[in-house]
Amino acid sequence: MTKIWHPELSNIHPSVEIGQNCVIHSHVWLGEGVIIGDDVKIQAFSYIPSGVIIGNNVFIGPRVTFTNDKYPPSGKANWEPTIVENDVSIGASVTILPGLTIGEGARIGAGSFVAKSIAPGKLAYGVPAREML
């Protein structure tokens, strides 16, 4: 069973697909067509626009911001999908640019700015985020 804390305080588009056993805290914004796997936890004040696909067993800390357009406002035709693979953990206040893949088992440190894809199993942090392990 998925738990959405205070759905009246969030903006969740009706087309969003949410898997089993997810927890979505209040003040979360989920755009059109977002896909969320099973056992995902999304903390408060996170922004996940159209074009983001989230795998299973993913943790998204508070105030995480995904983007889908490098040159706004260019419109839907120029959106770039972002993929978060399984078993990823994203710390608080991380910003992720569009068109990237966060590889399976990756960890992103709090406050990071992710401007390029992160390989599976890597720890990345900083501004810009760099792979460390």
Side-chain angles (χ1 to χ4, degrees), residues 53-68:
I53 300 169
I54 298 169
N56 300 320
N57 303 309
V58 172
F59 173 82
I60 298 174
R63 298 189 186 281
V64 170
T65 301
F66 287 82
T67 60
N68 63 1

Side-chain angles (χ1 to χ4, degrees), residues 12 34 49 81 107 116:
I12 301 174
V34 168
R107 304 289 181 252
K116 63 180 186 174

Side-chain angles (χ1 to χ4, degrees), residues 61-65 89-96 107-115 124-130:
R63 298 189 186 281
V64 170
T65 301
S89 181
I90 301 171
S93 298
V94 170
T95 299
I96 301 172
R107 304 289 181 252
I108 310 296
S112 296
F113 178 81
V114 182
Y125 58 90
V127 179
R130 291 190 170 90

Side-chain angles (χ1 to χ4, degrees), residues 44-89:
F45 299 100
S46 291
Y47 176 81
I48 304 173
S50 300
V52 176
I53 300 169
I54 298 169
N56 300 320
N57 303 309
V58 172
F59 173 82
I60 298 174
R63 298 189 186 281
V64 170
T65 301
F66 287 82
T67 60
N68 63 1
D69 193 347
K70 285 185 182 176
Y71 307 103
S74 65
K76 198 173 194 176
N78 294 316
W79 288 353
E80 297 182 45
T82 299
I83 299 170
V84 178
E85 295 182 346
N86 297 336
D87 303 311
V88 168
S89 181

